[in-house]
Amino acid sequence: MESGVKTLYRGCTPVVDAQYQKDGSETPAEMIIDAVAEAANVEPLELPPLYEFVDPDALNTLFQQHEGAVDSEAVLSFRIDHWNVFVRADGRIRVCDGTQPTEPQPVFEANPA
């Protein structure tokens, strides 16, 4: 049985795109904090703690197990204040401004060949 690729849509304006690397010095949770801080134009320590929105240890465990995955269908999404955060199993992170609505569009485009 062939599984269909499900497309996740967003209705908010993308502000920051980032990517965590398997051999990088930052964990997925740290990269998310940096991306949201960049989107909000604040220092990372000025943000509320990530654990108020998502379990950072569980997030790191989930995505570190799949780092560099070719199958990037796994996507986690959550909100930090008005920022919509999307994290894909291949390391891509997108932060969107929930106060700036758009027509629904795919969160991530297909992987470049």
Side-chain angles (χ1 to χ4, degrees):
M1 184 169 123
E2 185 178 337
S3 70
V5 174
K6 305 256 189 287
T7 302
L8 179 65
Y9 288 88
R10 61 173 171 76
C12 53
T13 302
V15 178
V16 172
D17 287 318
Q19 179 137 4
Y20 64 88
Q21 301 293 326
K22 177 180 180 180
D23 55 357
S25 61
E26 292 186 301
T27 65
E30 291 168 333
M31 284 298 301
I32 290 166
I33 292 166
D34 289 347
V36 173
E38 181 181 339
N41 199 28
V42 299
E43 292 296 318
L45 291 175
E46 294 178 57
L47 294 173
L50 185 60
Y51 65 78
E52 290 183 9
F53 307 96
V54 67
D55 182 333
D57 293 329
L59 187 146
N60 287 333
T61 299
L62 175 66
F63 287 104
Q64 286 174 337
Q65 289 176 353
H66 298 356
E67 287 184 58
V70 174
D71 178 8
S72 60
E73 289 185 47
V75 176
L76 174 69
S77 65
F78 57 95
R79 288 180 65 106
I80 296 177
D81 293 333
H82 69 275
W83 303 103
N84 295 326
V85 180
F86 302 91
V87 186
R88 201 162 90 167
D90 67 356
R92 293 172 69 187
I93 298 168
R94 173 161 277 173
V95 179
C96 297
D97 185 346
T99 67
Q100 300 295 316
T102 64
E103 292 295 319
Q105 297 176 26
V107 173
F108 297 108
E109 298 299 327
N111 277 337

